Amino acid sequence: MAELTESGVVDAVGKELFIGGKWVPSSTGRTFAVEDPATGRVLCEVADATPEDGKAALDAAVAAQADWAKTAPRERSEILRRAYELLNARVDELALLMTLEMGKPLAEAKGEVAYAAEFFRWFSEEAVRIDGGYQVAPNGAGRFLVTKQPVGPCLLITPWNFPMAMGGRKIGPAIAAGCTMVIKPAEQTPLSMLALAAILTEAGLPAGVLNVVTTSDPGGVMEPMIKDGRARKLSFTGSTAVGRKLLEQCADKVLRTSMELGGNAPFLVFDDADLDAAVEGAMQAKMRNIGEACTAANRFYVQRGVADEFARRLTERMSALPLGRGTEPGVVVGPLIDADAVNKVTELVADATSRGAKVLTGGATVDGPGNFYQATVLTDVPRDARMASEEIFGPVAPISVFDDEDEAVAAANDTEYGLVSYVYTNDLKRALRVSESLEAGMIGLNQGIVSNPAAPFGGVKQSGLGREGGTVGIDEFLETKYIAVSL
């Protein structure tokens, strides 16, 4: 393979809209810039879609739906399998592309490409396992046939923090189920999705099944499609605030929705926990993706007996993390996505310290270009600090102390969110009690990472609707049809 260069991987990606199997410019010819968050340098310009372009993309998806729904499940499966193999074969260039536009270190970017590929492998296997049912009516006079069919054209919206994995998590089950789609990647990180569209085309995906619109005006482009009436489903990953607006728009046509929204994950450490494992899990849960993850540990509640030692060990680990551009060898802490993200983290830390929190390490921005913030540990964080109720989305670990189990569970559940919670304890009975009491869709029990394509991902309360991944992930893209048969 030729030596990878930054300009080479950027130049290799299509910069236009991908509609009906073709690369086309915006109807106005306008473009918008994609920047490297580590340097502020413009990487390239991509097509800036208009509402008319969105309509053209939906037209293409609608036109392709009937034929795609009739495609044999095995054929859909093989397309996904080939895409899985292509992603793994090109992990190096795809990871570099992702690091350039999003900032995460190369090692993490490679991990994300592999993670995205796993969704294609998982749903390639699920495509041929869509089942139904045959049942004798209770009165014996007839039969019930139950079948599952693709829901129809889908609208998919993905976030900037996992630009390829979140695409794979939505595109995989849609293809497996027989749905066509229009996908809008985040304007900060469109290149990974454009590269993924090219790979799926190479894998044999027919024209019109996947359409990609990049735009600097997501609301203006997506709302007309949502209210068009021909799309039958919306799948969104992003903030709760935007999710609420999209739900209102979907109500107009009663669009089926699945949403993975914000998180405010508590990380509970009990006195009987294995502290080595708890600190390692804390590093994973907090620093994966530079803390820019909805599953990131946002609130650390540590029982008083081990609080000082946990804080000491976590501070030691966090203070040793190399910070820099994600392309540099050994870097663990890359830049945040943009200046707004840095400002948000800065405000949250300032608020906590003004209320009595102490900075054990970090707590400041970094001089020079790029959107960098130091890996930070805070202790004595009061429950009324803003970061107790707002997502930090950055490399900051705030620690609070608790005395008993009931207090810990109450503090953990004191949030409108309910995506994931983490629990560290060696007491089996406590582990089960606490896991069942926590108001979250996922629990990390003595482990700091819960995401897995083979498991159902999703939250409760204002963290979302529906599940992605696992055996239930494909159901979000299927309708159940019942046929009553008279004998």
Side-chain angles (χ1 to χ4, degrees):
M1 184 178 68
E3 183 179 355
L4 293 177
T5 65
E6 294 182 13
S7 60
V9 297
V10 173
D11 291 344
V13 180
K15 312 299 190 302
E16 296 181 306
L17 311 175
F18 188 66
I19 298 176
K22 298 179 181 178
W23 296 97
V24 297
S26 164
S27 56
T28 63
R30 292 177 183 157
T31 61
F32 65 93
V34 181
E35 295 184 357
D36 179 348
T39 64
R41 179 174 63 89
V42 173
L43 296 170
C44 63
E45 299 272 339
V46 298
D48 195 357
T50 65
E52 290 71 29
D53 296 320
K55 181 180 183 301
L58 182 56
D59 288 344
V62 170
Q65 179 61 54
D67 287 343
W68 180 239
K70 295 174 185 176
T71 304
R74 178 61 68 192
E75 184 174 343
R76 301 197 297 265
S77 172
E78 292 301 323
I79 290 170
L80 286 169
R81 181 71 190 194
R82 287 192 292 271
Y84 160 77
E85 293 168 350
L86 286 168
L87 281 171
N88 281 314
R90 297 174 190 170
V91 62
D92 290 332
E93 57 257 51
L94 292 171
L96 178 55
L97 183 70
M98 188 187 305
T99 293
L100 291 175
E101 68 172 346
M102 187 270 157
K104 69 182 67 182
L106 271 173
E108 282 205 58
K110 289 180 181 180
E112 182 177 338
V113 175
Y115 181 47
E118 281 299 324
F119 281 106
F120 288 166
R121 177 161 71 165
W122 175 263
F123 285 109
S124 75
E125 297 162 345
E126 291 297 293
V128 295
R129 291 176 173 81
I130 300 170
D131 59 9
Y134 177 91
Q135 178 183 342
V136 177
N139 63 5
R143 301 293 183 266
F144 301 160
L145 299 182
V146 177
T147 186
K148 294 178 181 177
Q149 297 178 322
V151 69
C154 299
L155 304 176
L156 314 177
I157 304 175
T158 55
W160 52 261
N161 56 341
F162 291 95
M164 189 163 287
M166 297 304 94
R169 198 155 74 182
K170 298 178 189 302
I171 293 169
I175 289 175
C179 297
T180 61
M181 66 212 86
V182 178
I183 188 163
K184 186 210 75 64
E187 54 267 37
Q188 298 96 328
T189 56
L191 302 180
S192 293
M193 184 56 64
L194 294 169
L196 189 55
I199 284 175
L200 283 163
T201 300
E202 185 178 343
L205 192 67
V209 176
L210 173 68
N211 305 275
V212 183
V213 292
T214 55
T215 180
S216 63
D217 181 22
V221 171
M222 293 307 300
E223 185 172 2
M225 283 193 278
I226 291 170
K227 294 185 175 181
D228 181 283
R230 293 177 296 165
R232 294 309 314 141
K233 175 179 175 61
L234 171 72
S235 178
F236 169 72
T237 297
S239 72
T240 296
V242 174
R244 292 189 191 106
K245 293 179 182 177
L246 291 172
L247 282 170
E248 292 176 1
Q249 294 171 11
C250 288
D252 186 59
K253 299 297 181 182
V254 196
L255 231 64
R256 185 168 172 175
T257 61
S258 54
M259 296 197 171
E260 193 261 283
L261 305 177
N264 188 14
F267 191 104
L268 276 56
V269 181
F270 288 91
D271 282 347
D272 57 27
D274 179 333
L275 271 194
D276 288 336
V279 171
E280 182 62 34
M283 294 298 296
Q284 293 174 332
K286 177 71 265 181
M287 294 307 295
R288 182 187 180 210
N289 212 54
I290 326 167
E292 294 177 313
C294 55
T295 55
N298 207 59
R299 300 169 290 148
F300 288 82
Y301 297 119
V302 186
Q303 199 159 16
R304 191 171 301 278
V306 294
D308 289 344
E309 180 63 12
F310 176 85
R312 184 190 69 77
R313 295 190 193 186
L314 184 63
T315 300
E316 185 178 89
R317 291 285 299 275
M318 292 280 276
S319 62
L321 296 178
L323 180 149
R325 192 168 185 238
T327 54
E328 297 170 1
V331 163
V332 176
V333 185
L336 300 185
I337 189 63
D338 54 29
D340 288 343
V342 176
N343 292 337
K344 172 72 178 297
V345 173
T346 301
E347 289 176 7
L348 291 176
V349 171
D351 171 77
T353 55
S354 72
R355 298 172 190 268
K358 298 181 180 64
V359 178
L360 299 186
T361 189
T365 57
V366 178
D367 293 336
N371 306 310
F372 292 97
Y373 196 92
Q374 298 172 344
T376 299
V377 177
L378 304 177
T379 190
D380 298 332
V381 179
R383 302 283 169 84
D384 63 350
R386 281 178 55 193
M387 62 176 59
S389 58
E390 299 180 32
E391 275 191 287
I392 300 171
F393 244 61
V396 178
I399 299 173
S400 301
V401 175
F402 70 87
D403 289 304
D404 59 50
E405 183 179 311
D406 289 342
E407 179 189 357
V409 171
N413 289 340
D414 186 19
T415 174
E416 65 185 13
Y417 300 105
L419 186 61
V420 59
S421 296
Y422 302 93
V423 181
Y424 276 77
T425 176
N426 280 330
D427 183 325
L428 177 60
K429 292 181 179 180
R430 170 179 283 158
L432 293 176
R433 280 196 310 268
V434 173
S435 294
E436 291 180 1
S437 298
L438 289 171
E439 297 170 351
M442 300 175 289
I443 305 293
L445 181 55
N446 292 326
Q447 66 178 61
I449 295 178
V450 297
S451 303
N452 192 304
F457 187 103
V460 299
K461 299 197 287 189
Q462 294 192 42
S463 283
L465 304 166
R467 295 294 183 269
E468 294 181 311
T471 56
V472 300
I474 197 170
D475 291 338
E476 298 287 346
F477 294 87
L478 294 168
E479 293 284 11
T480 298
K481 179 180 284 186
Y482 148 59
I483 303 169
V485 182
S486 175
L487 295 184

